[in-house]
Amino acid sequence: MKKVVIADDNQILLEQLEKNLKECKEIEIVGIAHNGEEELKCIKEFSPDVVVTDIEMPKMTGVDVIEAVKDFEQVPEFIVITGGASAEIMQRLYKLPIKQLFYKPLDMKRLECEILMSIEKEESKQLEKSLKEEKSLLEKFKNFFKKI
């Protein structure tokens, strides 16, 4: 199950996001934020796998939040949603590691698919890592038994 934080200052959209994403068994919503400061606190507290964030929010923009966490040890994947943003904000955004950008009104099924793809990608990375470790261990056993 992947941990997700959702952040938007639009209460109606936030409730819609929460309702739709809760229906997916592979997603656990660990944090809900109404502004950038709350979002940053949720990221620090819960270490989510994915963050769905609005760009324009009070106190800190979604871009400010991404800039604040981009050098964290564990950086979540960011899916950004916007109803429209200034050219300056968009320029800053495109320099940051985001997974996807969605424009409002949201296509909830497409958003859910994007989150699930990030889950599959992470599971694939973990499987690949596990296979490499097993292969390395097997090589060590082979070398050990050659010496005997």
Side-chain angles (χ1 to χ4, degrees), residues 39-80:
E39 178 182 8
L40 188 55
K41 285 179 186 175
C42 286
I43 293 169
K44 289 177 179 178
E45 183 176 346
F46 301 113
S47 298
D49 303 297
V50 178
V51 176
V52 178
T53 183
D54 187 15
I55 292 179
E56 296 289 343
M57 291 186 290
K59 300 186 181 180
M60 288 178 79
T61 68
V63 176
D64 293 333
V65 172
I66 298 169
E67 287 175 339
V69 303
K70 70 179 180 181
D71 296 324
F72 281 16
E73 188 174 317
Q74 182 183 347
V75 178
E77 290 194 335
F78 282 92
I79 297 174
V80 178

Side-chain angles (χ1 to χ4, degrees), residues 121-144:
K121 179 181 155 189
E122 184 60 35
E123 287 173 351
S124 176
K125 280 183 189 178
Q126 289 174 350
L127 180 60
E128 186 176 314
K129 181 181 176 186
S130 179
L131 289 173
K132 283 181 182 180
E133 289 170 356
E134 287 178 14
K135 185 176 179 181
S136 174
L137 186 58
L138 183 61
E139 286 298 316
K140 288 177 183 177
F141 277 128
K142 283 182 182 179
N143 290 335
F144 175 77

Side-chain angles (χ1 to χ4, degrees), residues 1-14:
M1 185 172 291
K2 289 297 174 179
K3 299 184 293 183
V4 177
V5 166
I6 54 176
D8 199 303
D9 60 327
N10 180 325
Q11 184 63 34
I12 294 169
L13 181 58
L14 201 55

Side-chain angles (χ1 to χ4, degrees), residues 2 11 22 24 31 34 37-38 45 66 70 75 77 86 101 103-104 110 118 132 143:
K2 289 297 174 179
Q11 184 63 34
K22 277 187 173 180
C24 183
H34 301 89
E37 285 182 1
E38 290 178 7
E45 183 176 346
I66 298 169
K70 70 179 180 181
V75 178
E77 290 194 335
S86 69
L101 174 67
Y103 288 94
K104 297 175 184 176
R110 191 165 159 239
S118 77
K132 283 181 182 180
N143 290 335

